Amino acid sequence: MNSIQEKLYQSGYKSVIGLEIHVQLNTESKIFSSDPNDFGAEPNAHVSVVSLAHPGTLPVLNEAVLEKAIKMGLACQSQITEVNHFARKHYFYPDSPKGFQTTQDKTPICVGGKIELFGEQLEKPFVQLHHIHLEDDAGKSIHDEGPDTLIDLNRAGTPLIEIVTDPDMSLSEEAAACLQEIRRLVRYLNISSGNMEDGELRCDANISIMPIDGKEFGNKVEVKNMNSISNVKRAIDHELERQLEMALKGEAIAVETRTFDPVTGTTAGMRFKETMNDYRYFPCPDLAPAIVTKEILDEITSDMPVLPSALRRKFTEVYGLAAYDVLLLTEEAETAYYFDALCNGNPAYKSAANWMNGPIKGLLNEKGIELSQTHLTVERLSGLINLVESNQVSFSIASQRILPRLLEEETTAMELAQSLDLLMVADSDELLDLIKEVLLSLPDKVKAYQSGKKGLLGLFMGEVMKKSGGKADPKKLKQLLEKELS
């Protein structure tokens, strides 16, 4: 329970939160036309008579859109609708050339299901979904080019899935975790990049409060214009506090749509919320029903990847990793699959996690590259880990001198360790020679040690390590040093 929840509880209220998440699908063409579905082109370059809604033009459903929506439904354990009808949802926006949105009303492609939550201090295991439906996106209004509003219709007709949760959450942390998991899922499924900063994943939050012992939900406020997961959390917390203050003053909470300002961390009214009747839904006369046969469903099911929830369970139960490590390792599909393959051939699970979340992650971030862009295969990294685990190379040398070369060269850790003369010195005679040199150079420290200042052992260890170039076997060195000093 966060501080906002404590205030609500102490005042006799509880919060109710639901999310509506729009995900742009990464098909090659738009949902109902052959216009390219590509981000970043010159304004109004990816338009045609269909996306401009010229009279007499007819839409045709892109089959890839249907397939990607079904994948998301299967990942969420939803029921897949067999006969899918499309509808027209009427509202006027200057960047919507048709004057209506083609969407699904009575027969959403996916019904029910759930989003599994993962994270520390989350008591709720999952968020229940109401449905997932297909629709097309509007264009984009641009307000930063002087007094006029400019319209870019490149986005008009971009395929969307809208994921609608039940009013199933009470904490902003739960909403943030739900949104994070949806972003993971669309990336694992390769149906969207899920980048909120590019508008590929957009979230609206429906927020209300009600008496703890109440039977009916309070008036719902929809908050839009949130371009990051952290802003979703901030907006929910602010809105709950705003509604509580109004309730305690006896003020009525309007059913409205509000926008969130990330600079001030506050919401502001935009318009009163439309009702279902305002949209005048009716069946789209230009699109035949989309039929999902058993054969189509079986084929898509057989092509489903291993999902983050399954990998999290495996990493926790089989590999024995802590929640923090699991969260980092399963955030991106490439890292999770790589780590799983690494552990299948290397039992040093915790060491492997430390390598992935430490030196490797640091080097990749520094170079601005992905793991797949390097020469560091699973077999080569496993060889490097084995060198360290078997005390043939120290961790510092392995991470600082061998790992960077493995990223760039087609070689093995052992070959690099041998060619660069980095293998640990474990020969007793060689180590004894180095120890004697150090002890002869520090007679006063030796006497102090022998007089009881045992903490000086670290000094001697460090000096021998310097002389060996960091290659002395620490365990062997400690044993020989203690024997020589005694």
Side-chain angles (χ1 to χ4, degrees):
M1 182 181 292
N2 62 27
S3 59
I4 306 301
Q5 292 299 313
E6 289 178 1
K7 285 183 183 179
L8 285 164
Y9 183 78
Q10 291 168 3
S11 302
Y13 287 89
K14 62 182 178 180
S15 54
V16 181
I17 302 166
L19 299 180
E20 298 174 12
I21 299 105
H22 289 85
V23 179
Q24 288 185 356
L25 301 178
N26 57 3
T27 53
E28 292 185 10
S29 56
K30 294 182 181 179
I31 185 169
F32 299 123
S33 73
S34 60
D35 302 349
N37 178 27
D38 190 20
F39 178 81
E42 289 294 315
N44 299 307
H46 294 166
V47 294
S48 68
V49 291
V50 177
S51 54
L52 292 175
H54 283 198
T57 57
L58 291 173
V60 177
L61 177 63
N62 184 341
E63 290 183 6
V65 171
L66 197 68
E67 177 185 333
K68 290 176 185 290
I70 291 171
K71 280 189 173 183
M72 188 63 185
L74 292 174
C76 298
Q77 302 175 47
S78 304
Q79 180 181 345
I80 307 303
T81 301
E82 181 181 357
V83 182
N84 290 267
H85 297 277
F86 287 90
R88 291 183 176 181
K89 177 183 179 182
H90 291 81
Y91 55 85
F92 173 75
Y93 283 142
D95 49 18
S96 179
K98 293 184 296 185
F100 60 84
Q101 182 181 38
T102 305
T103 183
Q104 291 185 296
D105 179 24
K106 305 298 184 187
T107 60
I109 180 71
C110 311
V111 178
K114 60 186 180 182
I115 299 293
E116 185 174 307
L117 304 186
F118 184 80
E120 297 178 344
Q121 300 177 337
L122 283 176
E123 297 180 3
K124 193 175 184 65
F126 58 83
V127 170
Q128 197 70 43
L129 293 186
H130 187 272
H131 72 268
I132 302 172
H133 66 260
L134 284 166
E135 60 189 20
D136 58 358
D137 207 348
K140 184 177 181 181
S141 296
I142 302 169
H143 307 287
D144 56 0
E145 300 289 336
D148 299 322
T149 295
L150 304 180
I151 304 297
D152 179 8
L153 295 175
N154 280 343
R155 200 174 67 182
T158 293
L160 298 176
I161 52 173
E162 181 173 348
I163 304 163
V164 181
T165 78
D166 280 337
D168 199 29
M169 292 162 276
S170 58
L171 294 169
S172 60
E173 289 85 357
E174 293 167 351
C178 178
L179 193 53
Q180 284 174 320
E181 185 69 359
I182 288 173
R183 185 174 64 182
R184 287 188 201 104
L185 285 172
V186 301
R187 289 175 174 175
Y188 272 69
L189 295 168
N190 193 27
I191 64 174
S192 175
S193 297
N195 295 323
M196 295 189 75
E197 62 272 19
D198 295 333
E200 294 169 344
L201 189 151
R202 308 194 292 273
C203 177
D204 302 334
N206 296 310
I207 306 158
S208 65
I209 63 172
M210 61 185 291
I212 289 175
D213 56 355
K215 303 298 182 185
E216 295 182 2
F217 291 152
N219 283 347
K220 178 179 68 177
V221 172
E222 182 182 36
V223 181
K224 291 180 174 288
N225 192 31
M226 297 176 288
N227 61 359
S228 72
I229 292 173
S230 63
N231 281 341
V232 170
K233 185 177 180 301
R234 291 172 63 206
I236 290 172
D237 284 341
H238 166 77
E239 186 58 28
L240 289 174
E241 194 153 17
R242 186 188 73 88
Q243 291 186 27
L244 176 60
E245 289 177 4
M246 293 180 69
L248 294 177
K249 292 177 183 177
E251 299 175 1
I253 298 169
V255 178
E256 62 176 335
T257 298
R258 297 177 71 85
T259 184
F260 176 69
D261 183 345
V263 177
T264 63
T266 60
T267 62
M270 292 173 63
R271 59 179 181 273
F272 290 112
K273 186 72 178 148
E274 298 91 343
T275 66
M276 294 296 284
N277 289 337
D278 293 328
Y279 291 126
R280 293 180 292 114
Y281 281 95
F282 67 77
C284 179
D286 294 336
L287 284 164
I291 311 298
V292 180
T293 64
K294 183 179 182 302
E295 290 73 22
I296 292 173
L297 197 55
D298 289 344
E299 184 178 349
I300 295 172
T301 302
S302 67
D303 194 39
M304 289 287 286
V306 181
L307 297 174
S309 56
L311 289 168
R312 287 195 297 262
R313 281 189 286 274
K314 184 175 183 179
F315 291 4
T316 302
E317 297 168 7
V318 179
Y319 301 151
L321 300 181
Y324 178 76
D325 283 329
V326 172
L327 191 63
L328 289 178
L329 290 166
T330 56
E331 187 63 26
E332 299 292 343
E334 181 189 17
T335 303
Y337 297 147
Y338 183 99
F339 179 77
D340 192 32
L342 178 64
C343 288
N344 285 337
N346 194 315
Y349 306 141
K350 179 57 179 172
S351 293
N354 290 340
W355 274 97
M356 292 293 294
N357 292 334
I360 293 172
K361 187 180 182 69
L363 275 174
L364 294 177
N365 288 341
E366 180 185 315
K367 295 176 179 293
I369 57 175
E370 303 292 331
L371 196 52
S372 58
Q373 297 173 289
T374 74
H375 292 292
L376 188 65
T377 63
V378 166
E379 293 75 20
R380 287 172 182 153
L381 178 54
S382 183
L384 180 61
I385 294 172
N386 288 334
L387 278 183
V388 176
E389 293 296 303
S390 61
N391 290 320
Q392 296 182 73
V393 173
S394 70
F395 176 79
S396 60
I397 285 179
S399 59
Q400 294 170 21
R401 299 191 60 185
I402 298 179
L403 178 61
R405 296 279 292 269
L406 284 177
L407 294 179
E408 299 174 354
E409 301 175 20
E410 293 189 7
T411 185
T412 67
M414 178 59 83
E415 288 169 347
L416 282 171
Q418 290 173 335
S419 65
L420 298 173
D421 190 25
L422 298 176
L423 291 172
M424 277 192 183
V425 177
D427 180 76
S428 296
D429 291 339
E430 189 174 347
L431 283 177
L432 273 172
D433 288 341
L434 295 173
I435 289 169
K436 288 175 180 177
E437 285 182 34
V438 169
L439 297 184
L440 284 171
S441 68
L442 299 168
D444 293 342
K445 301 296 184 184
V446 172
K447 286 180 182 179
Y449 176 89
Q450 292 171 340
S451 298
K453 294 187 176 180
K454 302 303 182 185
L456 288 169
L457 183 65
L459 170 67
F460 300 133
M461 289 274 294
E463 291 300 315
V464 177
M465 275 292 183
K466 285 180 187 177
K467 281 191 172 292
S468 70
K471 296 187 298 176
D473 183 336
K475 291 181 180 178
K476 189 78 171 176
L477 172 59
K478 187 170 184 280
Q479 293 172 356
L480 291 174
L481 251 176
E482 288 176 336
K483 183 178 179 182
E484 192 70 18
L485 285 164
S486 65

